[in-house]
Amino acid sequence: MAKPMTAFTTDLQHSGMPTEHLDETIEFYTKVLGFELLGVFPNGDNRCAFLKYGHLTIETWEGDPAPGIAGAINHWAFDTPDIEAAWANAQELGLKCRETEIQSIPTFWEHGIRYFNVFGPNGETIEFCQIVK
């Protein structure tokens, strides 16, 4: 029997926000707001940065259009220690998935990430992400 997806997660991992000016965004969040820069990672021809303050981590990246208005958050991501089990449960629940299989980005963090996205009832994107150890 399918379980709620929180059975496969440990916490909220990050929220995602596209930017048209990554360096300016990094400078604002670190120098003006006081966030810690966790890292800048290549993603194809673009870059992605992770910024942290307390319990909040923001993923911000270049290459996608940024709305430039309130409500510009792109996605919420949940930490999952077992992406395969989370994927199987999402399928059993009949969730509408953006991908047809688990995705990966090998250049994020030390060993990459594995993830998939589902859509919520308002069209919002919810990511389930495992940082590869």
Side-chain angles (χ1 to χ4, degrees):
M1 180 173 179
K3 301 176 183 177
M5 290 302 292
T6 53
F8 300 92
T9 64
T10 57
D11 209 340
L12 180 66
Q13 187 183 92
H14 66 266
S15 64
M17 177 182 68
T19 180
E20 307 231 347
H21 308 285
L22 186 63
D23 294 325
E24 182 180 317
T25 300
I26 291 170
E27 185 168 331
F28 175 80
Y29 276 87
T30 58
K31 293 189 172 139
V32 177
L33 296 184
F35 278 58
E36 173 188 2
L37 176 63
L38 298 178
V40 178
F41 304 97
N43 188 14
D45 293 335
N46 298 308
R47 298 172 303 150
C48 175
F50 287 86
L51 301 148
K52 183 173 183 163
Y53 174 71
H55 191 67
L56 173 63
T57 300
I58 297 172
E59 172 192 16
T60 184
W61 66 93
E62 56 195 6
D64 287 333
I69 59 171
I73 299 299
N74 176 272
H75 67 274
W76 303 103
F78 289 92
D79 232 345
T80 180
D82 187 346
I83 197 73
E84 300 335 358
W87 174 257
N89 195 72
Q91 300 304 299
E92 190 175 344
L93 284 171
L95 296 177
K96 183 178 177 188
C97 297
R98 187 168 72 188
E99 299 84 15
T100 57
E101 61 187 20
I102 296 169
Q103 305 295 298
S104 68
I105 301 177
T107 56
F108 282 18
W109 305 111
E110 188 175 347
H111 301 289
I113 63 168
R114 297 183 68 218
Y115 69 96
F116 66 91
N117 295 281
V118 302
F119 295 108
N122 304 295
E124 68 273 24
T125 300
I126 303 162
E127 178 182 331
F128 294 87
C129 185
Q130 180 176 21
I131 297 175
V132 179
K133 303 290 180 192

mmCIF file of all heavy atoms in Angstrom, residues 53-86:
data_model
loop_
_atom_site.group_PDB
_atom_site.id
_atom_site.type_symbol
_atom_site.label_atom_id
_atom_site.label_comp_id
_atom_site.label_asym_id
_atom_site.label_seq_id
_atom_site.Cartn_x
_atom_site.Cartn_y
_atom_site.Cartn_z
ATOM 1 N N TYR A 53 20.788 30.060 4.868
ATOM 2 C CA TYR A 53 20.652 30.838 6.091
ATOM 3 C C TYR A 53 19.785 30.021 7.036
ATOM 4 O O TYR A 53 18.634 29.724 6.720
ATOM 5 C CB TYR A 53 20.014 32.205 5.841
ATOM 6 C CG TYR A 53 19.742 32.939 7.132
ATOM 7 C CD1 TYR A 53 20.789 33.454 7.888
ATOM 8 C CD2 TYR A 53 18.458 33.051 7.619
ATOM 9 C CE1 TYR A 53 20.548 34.087 9.089
ATOM 10 C CE2 TYR A 53 18.202 33.692 8.823
ATOM 11 C CZ TYR A 53 19.256 34.206 9.554
ATOM 12 O OH TYR A 53 19.013 34.820 10.745
ATOM 13 N N GLY A 54 20.342 29.655 8.188
ATOM 14 C CA GLY A 54 19.585 28.831 9.131
ATOM 15 C C GLY A 54 19.142 27.544 8.462
ATOM 16 O O GLY A 54 19.950 26.816 7.894
ATOM 17 N N HIS A 55 17.846 27.311 8.487
ATOM 18 C CA HIS A 55 17.282 26.083 7.931
ATOM 19 C C HIS A 55 16.893 26.231 6.454
ATOM 20 O O HIS A 55 16.523 25.258 5.811
ATOM 21 C CB HIS A 55 16.059 25.690 8.768
ATOM 22 C CG HIS A 55 15.536 24.331 8.474
ATOM 23 N ND1 HIS A 55 16.235 23.188 8.769
ATOM 24 C CD2 HIS A 55 14.402 23.926 7.894
ATOM 25 C CE1 HIS A 55 15.541 22.143 8.381
ATOM 26 N NE2 HIS A 55 14.418 22.560 7.848
ATOM 27 N N LEU A 56 16.986 27.436 5.907
ATOM 28 C CA LEU A 56 16.569 27.697 4.531
ATOM 29 C C LEU A 56 17.751 27.598 3.569
ATOM 30 O O LEU A 56 18.764 28.274 3.757
ATOM 31 C CB LEU A 56 15.950 29.097 4.415
ATOM 32 C CG LEU A 56 15.619 29.579 3.004
ATOM 33 C CD1 LEU A 56 14.563 28.701 2.352
ATOM 34 C CD2 LEU A 56 15.176 31.026 3.041
ATOM 35 N N THR A 57 17.629 26.756 2.554
ATOM 36 C CA THR A 57 18.603 26.683 1.473
ATOM 37 C C THR A 57 17.886 27.057 0.185
ATOM 38 O O THR A 57 16.808 26.534 -0.111
ATOM 39 C CB THR A 57 19.221 25.274 1.349
ATOM 40 O OG1 THR A 57 19.877 24.958 2.577
ATOM 41 C CG2 THR A 57 20.229 25.213 0.214
ATOM 42 N N ILE A 58 18.483 27.977 -0.578
ATOM 43 C CA ILE A 58 17.937 28.406 -1.854
ATOM 44 C C ILE A 58 18.865 27.925 -2.960
ATOM 45 O O ILE A 58 20.073 28.168 -2.905
ATOM 46 C CB ILE A 58 17.806 29.942 -1.928
ATOM 47 C CG1 ILE A 58 16.826 30.442 -0.861
ATOM 48 C CG2 ILE A 58 17.381 30.387 -3.328
ATOM 49 C CD1 ILE A 58 16.787 31.957 -0.730
ATOM 50 N N GLU A 59 18.299 27.234 -3.932
ATOM 51 C CA GLU A 59 19.022 26.901 -5.156
ATOM 52 C C GLU A 59 18.658 27.978 -6.172
ATOM 53 O O GLU A 59 17.484 28.238 -6.410
ATOM 54 C CB GLU A 59 18.584 25.532 -5.680
ATOM 55 C CG GLU A 59 19.149 25.210 -7.044
ATOM 56 C CD GLU A 59 18.503 23.997 -7.685
ATOM 57 O OE1 GLU A 59 17.422 23.562 -7.230
ATOM 58 O OE2 GLU A 59 19.079 23.499 -8.665
ATOM 59 N N THR A 60 19.649 28.629 -6.753
ATOM 60 C CA THR A 60 19.383 29.641 -7.768
ATOM 61 C C THR A 60 20.281 29.361 -8.966
ATOM 62 O O THR A 60 21.433 28.977 -8.804
ATOM 63 C CB THR A 60 19.559 31.074 -7.206
ATOM 64 O OG1 THR A 60 19.191 32.023 -8.206
ATOM 65 C CG2 THR A 60 20.960 31.337 -6.718
ATOM 66 N N TRP A 61 19.740 29.485 -10.154
ATOM 67 C CA TRP A 61 20.477 29.095 -11.358
ATOM 68 C C TRP A 61 20.182 30.035 -12.511
ATOM 69 O O TRP A 61 19.178 30.718 -12.540
ATOM 70 C CB TRP A 61 20.137 27.660 -11.757
ATOM 71 C CG TRP A 61 18.717 27.491 -12.193
ATOM 72 C CD1 TRP A 61 18.234 27.557 -13.483
ATOM 73 C CD2 TRP A 61 17.579 27.245 -11.360
ATOM 74 N NE1 TRP A 61 16.874 27.371 -13.493
ATOM 75 C CE2 TRP A 61 16.443 27.170 -12.197
ATOM 76 C CE3 TRP A 61 17.412 27.089 -9.988
ATOM 77 C CZ2 TRP A 61 15.168 26.947 -11.712
ATOM 78 C CZ3 TRP A 61 16.138 26.863 -9.509
ATOM 79 C CH2 TRP A 61 15.037 26.790 -10.367
ATOM 80 N N GLU A 62 21.117 30.032 -13.449
ATOM 81 C CA GLU A 62 20.962 30.805 -14.672
ATOM 82 C C GLU A 62 20.560 29.864 -15.803
ATOM 83 O O GLU A 62 20.735 28.662 -15.700
ATOM 84 C CB GLU A 62 22.265 31.529 -15.006
ATOM 85 C CG GLU A 62 23.460 30.602 -15.135
ATOM 86 C CD GLU A 62 24.805 31.312 -15.105
ATOM 87 O OE1 GLU A 62 24.861 32.523 -14.874
ATOM 88 O OE2 GLU A 62 25.813 30.606 -15.300
ATOM 89 N N GLY A 63 19.978 30.426 -16.848
ATOM 90 C CA GLY A 63 19.629 29.629 -18.015
ATOM 91 C C GLY A 63 18.139 29.482 -18.242
ATOM 92 O O GLY A 63 17.710 29.149 -19.344
ATOM 93 N N ASP A 64 17.336 29.684 -17.222
ATOM 94 C CA ASP A 64 15.881 29.687 -17.363
ATOM 95 C C ASP A 64 15.405 31.117 -17.150
ATOM 96 O O ASP A 64 15.999 31.850 -16.359
ATOM 97 C CB ASP A 64 15.209 28.785 -16.309
ATOM 98 C CG ASP A 64 15.404 27.313 -16.595
ATOM 99 O OD1 ASP A 64 15.584 26.945 -17.770
ATOM 100 O OD2 ASP A 64 15.370 26.525 -15.628
ATOM 101 N N PRO A 65 14.324 31.524 -17.813
ATOM 102 C CA PRO A 65 13.837 32.887 -17.590
ATOM 103 C C PRO A 65 13.364 33.068 -16.149
ATOM 104 O O PRO A 65 12.728 32.189 -15.583
ATOM 105 C CB PRO A 65 12.682 33.034 -18.576
ATOM 106 C CG PRO A 65 12.348 31.658 -19.034
ATOM 107 C CD PRO A 65 13.527 30.786 -18.772
ATOM 108 N N ALA A 66 13.714 34.196 -15.563
ATOM 109 C CA ALA A 66 13.274 34.532 -14.210
ATOM 110 C C ALA A 66 12.064 35.443 -14.314
ATOM 111 O O ALA A 66 12.107 36.436 -15.031
ATOM 112 C CB ALA A 66 14.392 35.225 -13.449
ATOM 113 N N PRO A 67 10.965 35.115 -13.614
ATOM 114 C CA PRO A 67 9.757 35.932 -13.725
ATOM 115 C C PRO A 67 9.948 37.384 -13.297
ATOM 116 O O PRO A 67 9.329 38.274 -13.845
ATOM 117 C CB PRO A 67 8.760 35.234 -12.804
ATOM 118 C CG PRO A 67 9.272 33.856 -12.637
ATOM 119 C CD PRO A 67 10.762 33.952 -12.776
ATOM 120 N N GLY A 68 10.818 37.637 -12.322
ATOM 121 C CA GLY A 68 11.051 38.999 -11.884
ATOM 122 C C GLY A 68 9.870 39.620 -11.152
ATOM 123 O O GLY A 68 9.735 40.829 -11.117
ATOM 124 N N ILE A 69 9.014 38.777 -10.567
ATOM 125 C CA ILE A 69 7.849 39.242 -9.817
ATOM 126 C C ILE A 69 7.707 38.411 -8.552
ATOM 127 O O ILE A 69 8.329 37.355 -8.426
ATOM 128 C CB ILE A 69 6.540 39.120 -10.648
ATOM 129 C CG1 ILE A 69 6.308 37.667 -11.067
ATOM 130 C CG2 ILE A 69 6.573 40.028 -11.857
ATOM 131 C CD1 ILE A 69 4.959 37.397 -11.689
ATOM 132 N N ALA A 70 6.878 38.857 -7.620
ATOM 133 C CA ALA A 70 6.582 38.055 -6.432
ATOM 134 C C ALA A 70 5.990 36.728 -6.893
ATOM 135 O O ALA A 70 5.277 36.662 -7.891
ATOM 136 C CB ALA A 70 5.591 38.786 -5.535
ATOM 137 N N GLY A 71 6.312 35.664 -6.183
ATOM 138 C CA GLY A 71 5.846 34.337 -6.573
ATOM 139 C C GLY A 71 6.808 33.664 -7.536
ATOM 140 O O GLY A 71 6.439 32.758 -8.257
ATOM 141 N N ALA A 72 8.065 34.097 -7.546
ATOM 142 C CA ALA A 72 9.040 33.600 -8.515
ATOM 143 C C ALA A 72 9.726 32.310 -8.087
ATOM 144 O O ALA A 72 10.638 31.864 -8.756
ATOM 145 C CB ALA A 72 10.085 34.678 -8.776
ATOM 146 N N ILE A 73 9.322 31.702 -6.981
ATOM 147 C CA ILE A 73 9.907 30.424 -6.576
ATOM 148 C C ILE A 73 9.522 29.379 -7.618
ATOM 149 O O ILE A 73 8.375 29.275 -8.030
ATOM 150 C CB ILE A 73 9.409 30.002 -5.172
ATOM 151 C CG1 ILE A 73 9.818 31.043 -4.125
ATOM 152 C CG2 ILE A 73 9.910 28.617 -4.800
ATOM 153 C CD1 ILE A 73 11.300 31.256 -3.975
ATOM 154 N N ASN A 74 10.488 28.572 -8.034
ATOM 155 C CA ASN A 74 10.288 27.579 -9.084
ATOM 156 C C ASN A 74 9.859 26.229 -8.524
ATOM 157 O O ASN A 74 9.031 25.548 -9.117
ATOM 158 C CB ASN A 74 11.579 27.432 -9.888
ATOM 159 C CG ASN A 74 11.521 26.377 -10.945
ATOM 160 O OD1 ASN A 74 11.805 25.226 -10.667
ATOM 161 N ND2 ASN A 74 11.132 26.772 -12.149
ATOM 162 N N HIS A 75 10.465 25.788 -7.402
ATOM 163 C CA HIS A 75 10.124 24.479 -6.844
ATOM 164 C C HIS A 75 10.530 24.378 -5.376
ATOM 165 O O HIS A 75 11.338 25.153 -4.893
ATOM 166 C CB HIS A 75 10.782 23.345 -7.645
ATOM 167 C CG HIS A 75 12.282 23.314 -7.552
ATOM 168 N ND1 HIS A 75 13.085 24.056 -8.387
ATOM 169 C CD2 HIS A 75 13.119 22.639 -6.726
ATOM 170 C CE1 HIS A 75 14.356 23.836 -8.075
ATOM 171 N NE2 HIS A 75 14.401 22.980 -7.076
ATOM 172 N N TRP A 76 9.951 23.381 -4.698
ATOM 173 C CA TRP A 76 10.344 22.978 -3.351
ATOM 174 C C TRP A 76 10.991 21.615 -3.506
ATOM 175 O O TRP A 76 10.511 20.787 -4.278
ATOM 176 C CB TRP A 76 9.128 22.833 -2.429
ATOM 177 C CG TRP A 76 8.302 24.068 -2.327
ATOM 178 C CD1 TRP A 76 7.117 24.310 -2.934
ATOM 179 C CD2 TRP A 76 8.608 25.235 -1.577
ATOM 180 N NE1 TRP A 76 6.662 25.557 -2.607
ATOM 181 C CE2 TRP A 76 7.559 26.152 -1.770
ATOM 182 C CE3 TRP A 76 9.665 25.600 -0.749
ATOM 183 C CZ2 TRP A 76 7.550 27.396 -1.172
ATOM 184 C CZ3 TRP A 76 9.643 26.839 -0.158
ATOM 185 C CH2 TRP A 76 8.590 27.719 -0.368
ATOM 186 N N ALA A 77 12.063 21.341 -2.769
ATOM 187 C CA ALA A 77 12.722 20.036 -2.866
ATOM 188 C C ALA A 77 12.812 19.397 -1.487
ATOM 189 O O ALA A 77 13.176 20.050 -0.511
ATOM 190 C CB ALA A 77 14.119 20.188 -3.456
ATOM 191 N N PHE A 78 12.490 18.119 -1.449
ATOM 192 C CA PHE A 78 12.579 17.340 -0.219
ATOM 193 C C PHE A 78 13.775 16.407 -0.290
ATOM 194 O O PHE A 78 14.042 15.797 -1.327
ATOM 195 C CB PHE A 78 11.294 16.523 0.003
ATOM 196 C CG PHE A 78 10.129 17.377 0.376
ATOM 197 C CD1 PHE A 78 9.273 17.876 -0.590
ATOM 198 C CD2 PHE A 78 9.898 17.717 1.699
ATOM 199 C CE1 PHE A 78 8.199 18.683 -0.250
ATOM 200 C CE2 PHE A 78 8.831 18.528 2.052
ATOM 201 C CZ PHE A 78 7.976 19.008 1.074
ATOM 202 N N ASP A 79 14.493 16.302 0.834
ATOM 203 C CA ASP A 79 15.626 15.392 0.957
ATOM 204 C C ASP A 79 15.101 13.961 1.051
ATOM 205 O O ASP A 79 14.235 13.676 1.886
ATOM 206 C CB ASP A 79 16.359 15.712 2.264
ATOM 207 C CG ASP A 79 17.827 15.919 2.079
ATOM 208 O OD1 ASP A 79 18.361 15.547 1.028
ATOM 209 O OD2 ASP A 79 18.438 16.456 3.016
ATOM 210 N N THR A 80 15.614 13.073 0.229
ATOM 211 C CA THR A 80 15.239 11.670 0.354
ATOM 212 C C THR A 80 16.492 10.796 0.400
ATOM 213 O O THR A 80 17.394 10.980 -0.414
ATOM 214 C CB THR A 80 14.291 11.200 -0.778
ATOM 215 O OG1 THR A 80 13.966 9.825 -0.583
ATOM 216 C CG2 THR A 80 14.879 11.389 -2.156
ATOM 217 N N PRO A 81 16.583 9.886 1.369
ATOM 218 C CA PRO A 81 17.735 8.997 1.443
ATOM 219 C C PRO A 81 17.633 7.816 0.476
ATOM 220 O O PRO A 81 18.628 7.144 0.229
ATOM 221 C CB PRO A 81 17.733 8.521 2.898
ATOM 222 C CG PRO A 81 16.308 8.638 3.326
ATOM 223 C CD PRO A 81 15.726 9.784 2.547
ATOM 224 N N ASP A 82 16.443 7.551 -0.080
ATOM 225 C CA ASP A 82 16.251 6.405 -0.976
ATOM 226 C C ASP A 82 15.374 6.834 -2.159
ATOM 227 O O ASP A 82 14.154 6.697 -2.120
ATOM 228 C CB ASP A 82 15.608 5.246 -0.214
ATOM 229 C CG ASP A 82 15.524 3.960 -1.026
ATOM 230 O OD1 ASP A 82 15.713 3.996 -2.266
ATOM 231 O OD2 ASP A 82 15.255 2.913 -0.410
ATOM 232 N N ILE A 83 15.999 7.366 -3.198
ATOM 233 C CA ILE A 83 15.267 7.896 -4.342
ATOM 234 C C ILE A 83 14.475 6.809 -5.067
ATOM 235 O O ILE A 83 13.385 7.064 -5.568
ATOM 236 C CB ILE A 83 16.220 8.667 -5.301
ATOM 237 C CG1 ILE A 83 15.433 9.571 -6.250
ATOM 238 C CG2 ILE A 83 17.125 7.722 -6.055
ATOM 239 C CD1 ILE A 83 14.841 10.780 -5.632
ATOM 240 N N GLU A 84 14.995 5.572 -5.105
ATOM 241 C CA GLU A 84 14.287 4.470 -5.773
ATOM 242 C C GLU A 84 12.948 4.184 -5.077
ATOM 243 O O GLU A 84 11.918 4.030 -5.731
ATOM 244 C CB GLU A 84 15.077 3.160 -5.760
ATOM 245 C CG GLU A 84 16.471 2.906 -6.358
ATOM 246 C CD GLU A 84 16.959 3.750 -7.460
ATOM 247 O OE1 GLU A 84 16.248 4.427 -7.741
ATOM 248 O OE2 GLU A 84 18.034 3.738 -8.017
ATOM 249 N N ALA A 85 12.990 4.113 -3.732
ATOM 250 C CA ALA A 85 11.761 3.838 -2.978
ATOM 251 C C ALA A 85 10.772 4.987 -3.116
ATOM 252 O O ALA A 85 9.565 4.763 -3.253
ATOM 253 C CB ALA A 85 12.088 3.584 -1.507
ATOM 254 N N ALA A 86 11.276 6.219 -3.100
ATOM 255 C CA ALA A 86 10.387 7.384 -3.267
ATOM 256 C C ALA A 86 9.743 7.367 -4.647
ATOM 257 O O ALA A 86 8.545 7.623 -4.786
ATOM 258 C CB ALA A 86 11.168 8.682 -3.054
#
